[in-house]
Amino acid sequence: MPARAKPPPHRGQHSLRAKLTLSAITLLSLVCLTIGVISELALRTFLLAQTDTQLSAAASRALDYATHPAPPDDRTPLDAPGQGAGTITAHFSADGADGTGGWLSPHGQRLPLAEDELAALQDLPADGRPYTRALGTLGDYRLTAFPVPDGVVITGVPLAPMQQTLLTVGLILFGVAAAGVTGAAFLGAFAVRRTLRPLERVAETASRVSELPLDRGDVDLSVRVPVEDTDPRTEVGQVGAALNHMLGHISSALEARHASELRVRRFVADASHELRTPLAAIRGYAELAGRSGSHAPPDVAHSMSRIESEADRMTALVEDLLLLARLDAGRPLDAAEVDLTRLVADAVGDAHVAGPHHVWQLALPDEPILVLGDVQRLHQVLANLLANARVHTPPGTTVVTTLTRAADGSAVVTVTDNGPGIPPELQPAVFERFARGDSSRSRAAGSTGLGLAIASAVLAAHDGAIAMRSRPGQTEFSVRLPIAVPAQRTPRMADRKFHSGHTG
């Protein structure tokens, strides 16, 4: 049975274990991302509310200091005590033309605002509501403005502490989430692998069954899924139990098929054997009658000649059936060293004599190639292939037979013709018994439909193989056999050609 071919890889295809692990990690990542975003938004709202409270307190201190003057009378809202570091206080006239302002440094120094920073405060609505503005190098501020008798007082507190807190918390959340997702990935992969291990054992059982030669012979289908993987309470157990149930049905069917094959083979062998005696008698009487053909009427002589001819054909068919029955029963063939080079040359010479209207070409190596096998059966294989090329192609067809030594240490015989080819719908069945290209099963060509089946069975008994490739204008049969004696040097091909009228 040919080795099981691996399916070709496709992009985007992953194992179930990888899909489950990836799905769990993706879901966990989305959950962590959602928690992080919601946490950041909630924290920002909370911190912004605290900042607005600080802003309200700072604005109250500035307004109270500005609206309750006491000696000295030249004090301004900028001098209000109790303000925190970074607090901005600005005063604009009623028409907004004149304005002064400053901010409290971390060291307690009151530093003036730059012109661009004052310009950013100039259009702030004096409605007592908090607003967020960017003040150049000072960064983002939370600001509010209140009207006073001599103009507008603006107070602001920096948003940098809030932003730093949000950034720190965001990094912490990201780090914790990344560590959690990474750990969950490893733990999830381990858990998924452990969970799917029964399914892998079920798959291994199916793989072992697929590698068994189920197409012929007595098959011992004893492979089953382990009992611990057939628990019907789990999904994997249901699959395992169903597979065991199916294997039981297949085993029963294979046993019934094998028993039927044995009966058919025994019948064919017995019938073929019993037919040999009456066929021999028919041929003998036909030959005896043919010797006295001069005393028999012409129509009787012709009839006896036809009886003898058909008896010969039936004898050949019986011998073929007996050979197939013996091969099916596994009876050993003769094993001796066979000069495959000479065998191929003799077979092509015989084919030339039988088909003088074809062009026969032969290519052989300079050195003989020896194989281990039954010389009569191997000659029958070559004769069948050459007979097929002669019978199923028109006169004038070129048939090329080549013997080479393959790189893997085997002998390869190829028979190639440039005939019409084998129809594609018939190619899968060419090595089956009684396979014919003519659906009417006409005997005009003298074919029994057993030649290629015998060739395949004989080569299988020699640990060899036969293959076929056909298209219009070229049909090639290749025979591969193990070499008995390794090559001493690289062979050089010598071409031989059989022309009509002589054998080279």
Side-chain angles (χ1 to χ4, degrees):
M1 189 172 182
R4 189 162 50 96
K6 294 182 179 180
H10 297 284
R11 291 184 177 179
Q13 290 189 351
H14 302 283
S15 64
L16 178 60
R17 180 172 61 248
K19 289 181 179 179
L20 290 176
T21 304
L22 183 61
S23 298
I25 296 307
T26 302
L27 181 60
L28 181 60
S29 300
L30 291 176
V31 171
C32 291
L33 179 61
T34 302
I35 292 175
V37 170
I38 293 176
S39 299
E40 283 285 291
L41 291 177
L43 181 60
R44 184 182 184 280
T45 302
F46 174 74
L47 293 177
L48 192 60
Q50 282 193 333
T51 302
D52 288 344
T53 301
Q54 296 174 3
L55 176 62
S56 178
S60 297
R61 286 192 291 270
L63 287 175
D64 183 68
Y65 195 72
T67 56
H68 294 81
D73 296 333
D74 59 346
R75 65 180 183 177
T76 66
L78 280 68
D79 300 321
Q83 303 288 34
T87 302
I88 286 179
T89 305
H91 180 268
F92 287 90
S93 61
D95 57 0
D98 298 327
T100 59
W103 64 284
L104 191 63
S105 71
H107 302 291
Q109 298 176 341
R110 299 186 182 275
L111 304 177
L113 294 175
E115 292 184 1
D116 58 336
E117 296 165 350
L118 284 173
L121 301 176
Q122 197 169 8
D123 60 345
L124 192 69
D127 55 4
R129 295 181 180 179
Y131 294 92
T132 300
R133 294 289 175 87
L135 301 182
T137 58
L138 294 179
D140 295 337
Y141 266 75
R142 195 70 168 168
L143 304 166
T144 184
F146 288 93
V148 293
D150 57 348
V152 177
V153 174
I154 297 177
T155 307
V157 293
L159 291 178
M162 182 189 77
Q163 294 172 342
Q164 184 62 38
T165 301
L166 290 175
L167 177 61
T168 302
V169 172
L171 292 176
I172 293 174
L173 290 176
F174 176 79
V176 172
V181 169
T182 303
F186 286 103
L187 294 177
F190 174 77
V192 170
R193 180 185 296 272
R194 184 179 181 86
T195 303
L196 294 183
R197 192 168 297 166
L199 187 59
E200 293 177 353
R201 290 195 291 267
V202 173
E204 290 174 359
T205 301
S207 298
R208 290 199 300 271
V209 172
S210 67
E211 295 170 356
L212 295 176
L214 305 179
D215 55 336
R216 64 179 65 88
D218 186 13
V219 179
D220 182 17
L221 193 58
S222 59
V223 180
R224 292 293 186 274
V225 178
V227 178
E228 61 269 19
D229 298 329
T230 59
D231 188 353
R233 295 173 297 179
T234 65
E235 290 79 1
V236 176
Q238 294 173 7
V239 174
L243 182 60
N244 278 350
H245 189 64
M246 181 184 68
L247 291 176
H249 278 291
I250 294 176
S251 180
S252 301
L254 290 176
E255 291 175 0
R257 185 216 64 187
H258 182 60
S260 177
E261 286 181 354
L262 290 179
R263 288 193 295 270
V264 171
R265 292 173 183 172
R266 191 177 299 112
F267 168 77
V268 171
D270 293 344
S272 301
H273 182 75
E274 294 299 328
L275 284 173
R276 299 174 74 179
T277 300
L279 283 174
I282 292 173
R283 292 176 60 191
Y285 283 116
E287 290 175 0
L288 180 61
R291 293 174 185 174
S292 59
S294 58
H295 305 289
D299 55 344
V300 174
H302 175 72
S303 298
M304 297 308 297
S305 174
R306 294 303 304 149
I307 289 174
E308 184 178 356
S309 176
E310 291 301 315
D312 290 339
R313 278 195 57 209
M314 185 172 290
T315 300
L317 175 60
V318 168
E319 294 295 334
D320 287 344
L321 290 174
L322 271 176
L323 174 59
L324 285 173
R326 290 167 182 164
L327 292 174
D328 288 340
R331 295 184 184 179
L333 300 175
D334 293 339
E337 281 192 354
V338 178
D339 186 350
L340 194 59
T341 307
R342 182 172 182 176
L343 190 66
V344 171
D346 291 344
V348 175
D350 295 342
H352 166 69
V353 174
H357 300 294
H358 284 64
V359 179
W360 302 91
Q361 296 181 1
L362 176 63
L364 295 175
D366 289 342
E367 297 178 344
I369 296 179
L370 302 181
V371 298
L372 194 65
D374 189 324
V375 62
Q376 298 298 328
R377 297 309 172 200
L378 292 178
H379 182 274
Q380 185 177 7
V381 169
L382 297 175
N384 286 345
L385 294 179
L386 295 170
N388 272 348
R390 171 177 55 83
V391 170
H392 298 292
T393 59
T397 300
T398 299
V399 182
V400 181
T401 304
T402 304
L403 173 61
T404 59
R405 190 187 302 267
D408 60 354
S410 59
V412 179
V413 181
T414 59
V415 178
T416 308
D417 66 72
N418 59 352
I422 302 174
E425 63 273 10
L426 299 179
Q427 293 183 19
V430 293
F431 297 109
E432 294 181 3
R433 299 175 187 185
F434 300 105
R436 295 174 180 271
D438 183 4
S439 59
S440 65
R441 303 188 67 82
S442 171
R443 299 273 196 255
S447 172
T448 63
L450 294 176
L452 292 179
I454 290 175
S456 178
V458 169
L459 290 171
H462 284 80
D463 294 327
I466 184 171
M468 180 271 301
R469 292 185 300 177
S470 181
R471 57 181 174 82
Q474 184 182 34
T475 298
E476 177 184 289
F477 285 89
S478 61
V479 171
R480 187 176 295 269
L481 287 167
I483 295 179
V485 178
Q488 300 299 321
R489 62 182 179 90
T490 303
R492 180 177 58 85
M493 300 302 298
D495 292 338
R496 300 177 62 186
K497 189 171 183 178
F498 293 86
H499 302 279
S500 298
H502 74 281
T503 300

